[in-house]
Amino acid sequence: MLALGALFLMSACNKTETYAEMKDKERSAINQFIVDRGIKVISETDFKANGEVTNVANNEFVLFGTNGVYMQIERKGCGQKIKSGESANVICRFMEWNIFGDSLQLTNNSLYFASMPDIMQVNNTSGTFTASFTSGAMYSVYGPSVPVGWLVPLTFINVGRPVEETDELAKVKLIVPAEAGQQRASQYVIPCYYEITFERGI
């Protein structure tokens, strides 16, 4: 935990920087990350025209203009979408990287969190998703508030439980700017990269 705190402090901008300067630094870091990872950015229009899928072989990510989140759907997942008017517990396994240092800063893919998975209580109200963490690494480190970026995939993926051998959990990759991120990312203007799987809880 101390190491995580130190990482955020090291990543945080000094007091002489304006918010505009911090946002410029964030945009530059995201752009460089996209170049370094060989990511092909597609528009929402192209995403919809392609059946709301991203071409993983071409390393496609769709950019959402309303929140600046980039998303790649690696797997749509088994089961069904969370329907309008429905609430569900969603179990998430994730890795979170700080884009400034391209360093892993939090994950629940570890023995420590094996018995305490990240669970989101998700509500779909007429197509608008809201959620709160009730347990896990994100809850322990950042509190119950779910980053806006984590809610973006829920419109497009299935959230089920594997039944057959061939069933797979939904998996996405996200580039999340600070304003759509967790509490510390928002506070210090730190963009993050995530790989997340989603599974319907009981």
Side-chain angles (χ1 to χ4, degrees), residues 42-45 62-70 152 177 179:
I42 64 172
S43 68
E44 290 180 73
T45 301
V62 54
L63 170 61
F64 294 94
T66 54
N67 49 41
V69 172
Y70 298 77
V152 170
E179 290 180 356

Side-chain angles (χ1 to χ4, degrees), residues 2-190:
L2 290 174
L4 180 64
L7 181 60
F8 273 108
L9 289 174
M10 287 172 62
S11 300
C13 301
N14 64 55
K15 294 180 181 179
T16 62
E17 285 184 304
T18 66
Y19 182 72
E21 289 170 334
M22 288 189 283
K23 290 299 293 180
D24 284 343
K25 184 181 287 186
E26 177 190 46
R27 278 190 291 272
S28 294
I30 289 174
N31 290 338
Q32 189 61 53
F33 183 85
I34 288 169
V35 171
D36 291 344
R37 295 286 180 114
I39 291 169
K40 178 184 177 182
V41 179
I42 64 172
S43 68
E44 290 180 73
T45 301
D46 289 340
F47 177 63
K48 290 175 182 174
N50 294 338
E52 296 183 340
V53 297
T54 50
N55 188 319
V56 177
N58 289 342
N59 203 18
E60 286 183 352
F61 280 63
V62 54
L63 170 61
F64 294 94
T66 54
N67 49 41
V69 172
Y70 298 77
M71 177 186 71
Q72 180 183 90
I73 300 175
E74 186 171 318
R75 299 192 299 260
K76 278 272 193 178
C78 58
Q80 298 179 332
K81 293 180 180 180
I82 299 173
K83 299 180 180 69
S84 178
E86 184 181 5
S87 296
N89 287 321
V90 179
I91 302 167
C92 299
R93 292 289 177 186
F94 75 95
M95 291 186 286
E96 176 190 68
W97 281 265
N98 181 323
I99 285 179
F100 280 137
D102 199 8
S103 55
L104 183 66
Q105 64 187 13
L106 188 64
T107 181
N108 63 1
N109 293 317
S110 66
L111 288 176
Y112 181 81
F113 285 107
S115 62
M116 191 173 60
D118 280 65
I119 298 177
M120 301 189 297
Q121 175 63 46
V122 178
N123 300 292
N124 181 349
T125 305
S126 301
T128 298
F129 288 92
T130 56
S132 296
F133 289 115
T134 59
S135 68
M138 292 291 285
Y139 178 84
S140 298
V141 176
Y142 305 125
S145 180
V146 174
V148 169
W150 279 48
L151 302 178
V152 170
L154 295 176
T155 299
F156 310 103
I157 62 171
N158 299 320
V159 182
R161 295 178 67 83
V163 177
E164 305 293 336
E165 256 187 60
T166 55
D167 288 346
E168 293 183 308
L169 297 178
K171 182 178 180 182
V172 303
K173 297 177 180 179
L174 302 171
I175 299 171
V176 180
E179 290 180 356
Q182 34 82 353
Q183 184 269 332
R184 292 186 188 177
S186 178
Q187 181 180 356
Y188 295 114
V189 192
I190 298 170

